[in-house]
Amino acid sequence: MECAIITTYRCNAKCDMCRIYLNPTKVAEEFNPKILEKLPDNLKRVNITGGEPTLRQDLLDIVTIMLKKAKKVDISTNGYFPERLISIGKKYPQVIFRISAEGLPKLNDDLRGLKDGFDHSLRSIIGLSKVGVRDIGLGMVISGKNKNDLLNLYSLCVMMGINFSTSTLHNSFYFNKTDNIIDNVGDTAKVVQEYIVELLKSRRRNIKMKLKDWAKAYVNYGILNHIKGEKRPIPCGAGTELFFLDPYGRILACNGSPEPWIMGNLNDQTFDEIWNSEEAQLVRNKVKNCTRECWMVGSARPAMRSHFISAGYWIFSKKIKLLLGQEIWQN
């Protein structure tokens, strides 16, 4: 099981595709890190996110607790406060860092509403690398506005020897958006197809990163389907394979629903009480009947683990076609 911890709805960025900053939480409303001790042990992965998690003064406490709970802990950040990230990386170099980038410098700063945002991101990457952090990467939300920088950002990450993750536009309570849309779907889909081919042909020298690229080809296949308005390739396991903890201490199924699908509140209940409650089962029924076809890495990754044969077959079959010089996309 995986978990995403939404540490705060406060954010210093003003992103084009996300309006979290319009409805920030107050510091006094945000959960006390001590409640995280109630979360189950042996989680496969925990994503610490926001808002912008580095705005929490107790972020190090959150990381410290979750490293005892999960095999992998990653932080999703806009990278604007390098010193705060570096202090965590120095103490815990095993933590994974994913720093948002919506394009090359000017476009990134325009879409994120952050002056010198790309500059700060690079300083975070350099500083984290210097203190020995082993897994650093950029993360991009693919849209019609930044599609032309997708392959360039990936190439930059390959040259730097760091990871690169992608998602695409979604509408939900979490993003405070209902009007995210890709106008030029055909052109954007074509670029994503090209990117998937590059991932399958991965030129990375590190075999582990090459294997990650192959897996990310399937992740981006799901992204491609979402962009085109098609069904996700494998079912969603939100509320079963993964869950979210919001800044108020509530356990949610996911961050893609139109309103928070609340299973319980960790401030007042144990995790087992929440997980096995009637409210949790009602939420799982909502997930089962959901038609939103979300495809975000938080729900895609555990779904791929549960359906590894389907994902593996897709990757293998596409790679064989490429080796034979065949097209993998139908015209």
Side-chain angles (χ1 to χ4, degrees), residues 78-80 108-109 114-122:
N78 59 37
Y80 203 76
N108 174 77
D109 295 358
L114 280 174
K115 186 178 185 299
D116 299 324
F118 200 91
D119 175 89
H120 287 238
S121 295
L122 285 181

Side-chain angles (χ1 to χ4, degrees), residues 126-285:
I126 293 167
L128 290 168
S129 179
K130 282 183 176 180
V131 297
V133 174
R134 297 185 287 272
D135 193 337
I136 309 167
L138 292 179
M140 177 184 187
V141 181
I142 302 170
S143 71
K145 295 179 180 178
N146 65 2
K147 66 182 186 303
N148 293 329
D149 275 3
L150 172 60
L151 293 173
N152 286 331
L153 266 188
Y154 170 64
S155 296
L156 177 63
C157 289
V158 172
M159 287 188 290
M160 295 174 68
I162 64 175
N163 278 289
F164 183 55
S165 303
T166 49
S167 58
T168 192
L169 299 179
H170 284 75
N171 292 301
S172 75
F173 80 91
Y174 175 74
F175 299 106
N176 284 263
K177 291 281 284 185
T178 58
D179 59 352
N180 273 329
I181 188 171
I182 295 177
D183 295 322
N184 46 350
V185 169
D187 292 340
T188 305
K190 183 177 179 181
V191 173
V192 175
Q193 288 176 338
E194 293 174 8
Y195 174 52
I196 292 170
V197 170
E198 287 298 306
L199 289 169
L200 290 169
K201 291 180 176 179
S202 179
R203 294 173 175 81
R204 293 189 185 269
R205 296 180 182 179
N206 182 297
I207 186 61
K208 187 176 180 180
M209 296 187 76
K210 188 183 289 285
L211 291 172
K212 282 185 178 181
D213 274 0
W214 295 349
K216 287 174 183 175
Y218 189 81
V219 172
N220 280 272
Y221 170 57
I223 289 174
L224 177 66
N225 283 7
H226 185 81
I227 288 172
K228 294 164 66 177
E230 298 175 357
K231 289 183 67 66
R232 53 182 286 149
I234 47 181
C236 177
T240 303
E241 299 169 339
L242 73 146
F243 64 90
F244 281 69
L245 174 70
D246 78 0
Y248 305 106
R250 303 178 302 184
I251 299 292
L252 314 178
C254 65
N255 65 341
S257 52
E259 67 281 327
W261 288 348
I262 303 166
M263 305 173 82
N265 194 315
L266 207 59
N267 286 300
D268 309 317
Q269 301 165 275
T270 67
F271 183 81
D272 285 343
E273 286 172 345
I274 295 169
W275 201 246
N276 299 309
S277 67
E278 184 177 331
E279 291 82 359
Q281 191 53 50
L282 290 172
V283 166
R284 292 186 185 107
N285 288 336

Side-chain angles (χ1 to χ4, degrees), residues 41-59:
D41 297 326
N42 300 316
L43 292 167
K44 288 184 170 64
R45 188 168 186 148
V46 168
N47 173 232
I48 297 173
T49 185
E52 173 48 45
T54 56
L55 295 181
R56 283 200 61 148
Q57 298 300 310
D58 53 4
L59 179 59

